[in-house]
Amino acid sequence: MLLNLINLGSTTAFFAILSLNTLALYISYIIPMVFLVMTKLRGDHIPYGPFRLGRWGLPINIFAIIYAIFIAIFLPFPPFLPVTAVTMNYGGPVMGFVILFALADWFISGRKRFQVPVNPVSTEMIEPSESSS
């Protein structure tokens, strides 16, 4: 409710916040999909859950990456022409700044602060017992 009050003061700021959230969501979808497709193309084994797309999995994942990149490119475009300070969509430049800031932090000191989790995660699938059915 408080975020909606921004709309009373500046519609541009409100639309920038909405655009930034959606853009960040699409970017967070793109990253694991790219790694999944890279793993599948290398031929490495991927532990699947209860749902699997079979032979359509790879084409659907590639289409999802292309679609998400398309949306991530065109989402920050301004909604109106001509572009002025009032009609500009600031979601894209803010996302670019956040990504550059995160990369700079990683290369300056983040690599030294990051600790790999101590307990490795098992990749073996646990078969459900027949007594639970």
Side-chain angles (χ1 to χ4, degrees):
M1 286 180 3
L2 294 176
L3 279 176
N4 203 15
L5 292 176
I6 295 172
N7 198 17
L8 296 175
S10 171
T11 344
T12 305
F14 181 68
F15 286 137
I17 290 172
L18 292 180
S19 176
L20 184 62
N21 290 334
T22 309
L23 184 60
L25 186 67
Y26 271 100
I27 290 173
S28 73
Y29 288 159
I30 291 170
I31 294 169
M33 285 191 298
V34 165
F35 286 119
L36 177 70
V37 167
M38 285 173 29
T39 304
K40 283 183 176 183
L41 290 176
R42 270 195 313 241
D44 293 343
H45 174 70
I46 300 170
Y48 291 98
F51 181 75
R52 189 171 172 192
L53 294 171
R55 66 184 180 112
W56 291 100
L58 187 60
I60 289 173
N61 285 324
I62 291 172
F63 175 76
I65 291 170
I66 293 169
Y67 176 76
I69 289 173
F70 174 80
I71 294 296
I73 289 171
F74 286 101
L75 186 67
F77 277 28
F80 304 106
L81 290 175
V83 179
T84 64
V86 175
T87 61
M88 172 68 178
N89 184 351
Y90 293 98
V94 170
M95 177 57 73
F97 174 76
V98 167
I99 290 173
L100 289 176
F101 180 77
L103 286 173
D105 176 58
W106 172 256
F107 286 112
I108 292 171
S109 65
R111 293 178 295 166
K112 299 168 192 155
R113 289 189 321 256
F114 178 73
Q115 294 180 358
V116 177
V118 178
N119 297 330
V121 177
S122 175
T123 59
E124 295 179 19
M125 293 287 296
I126 299 174
E127 296 293 327
S129 66
E130 293 185 23
S131 63
S132 64
S133 54

